[in-house]
Amino acid sequence: MTAAEERPLIWVGSTRTDLRRFPRQVRRDIGQALYAAQQGETDPATKPLKGFGGRSVVEIIADHIGDTWRAVYTVRFAEAVYVLHVFQKKSKRGIGTPKRDMDLIHQRLTEAERLHHERQN
């Protein structure tokens, strides 16, 4: 994919502002994975997010000084990569994404669908 074919990032909700609050190394790691997605590639720090039926909703996992940071995006729409949620995983129990965060991801995926349809018209 050439620079002209690179898919733009669309930041849904407060994702861009939230990401700017993360430590520099975490921002760098997440940025690298998002850039790979824009190029149509898959970064090693990513995996499909469970509960979305397939590989169209992807989670970036960045570990930094004993903390885990996450970013969730969708490649469901061919024209852009929609960043749905970024957060620090606080729970020390289990590896699952907390329900509150999953609810927000579902809400923002619906918003991304609306934005996608607006961009098509």
Side-chain angles (χ1 to χ4, degrees), residues 45-104:
T46 64
K47 68 178 186 174
L49 184 60
K50 288 185 170 95
F52 290 90
R55 302 189 58 81
S56 67
V57 177
V58 182
E59 174 178 46
I60 302 166
I61 301 167
D63 292 319
H64 180 66
I65 310 177
D67 291 321
T68 300
W69 307 79
R70 304 234 177 127
V72 178
Y73 65 92
T74 186
V75 292
R76 186 173 288 179
F77 312 109
E79 89 288 350
V81 174
Y82 290 83
V83 183
L84 304 175
H85 188 33
V86 298
F87 60 102
Q88 180 180 4
K89 186 168 183 303
K90 302 271 187 182
S91 173
K92 300 299 181 197
R93 294 188 332 253
I95 59 172
T97 304
K99 181 183 180 334
R100 177 179 55 88
D101 292 303
M102 289 298 285
D103 290 345
L104 184 57

Side-chain angles (χ1 to χ4, degrees), residues 10-13 74 76-77 79-80 82 84 105-121:
I10 307 291
W11 301 90
V12 181
T74 186
R76 186 173 288 179
F77 312 109
E79 89 288 350
Y82 290 83
L84 304 175
I105 292 164
H106 280 284
Q107 177 185 346
R108 288 184 174 167
L109 182 58
T110 300
E111 175 69 7
E113 289 170 356
R114 185 186 67 73
L115 292 169
H116 165 72
H117 291 300
E118 283 179 8
R119 290 172 60 95
Q120 299 306 301
N121 297 328

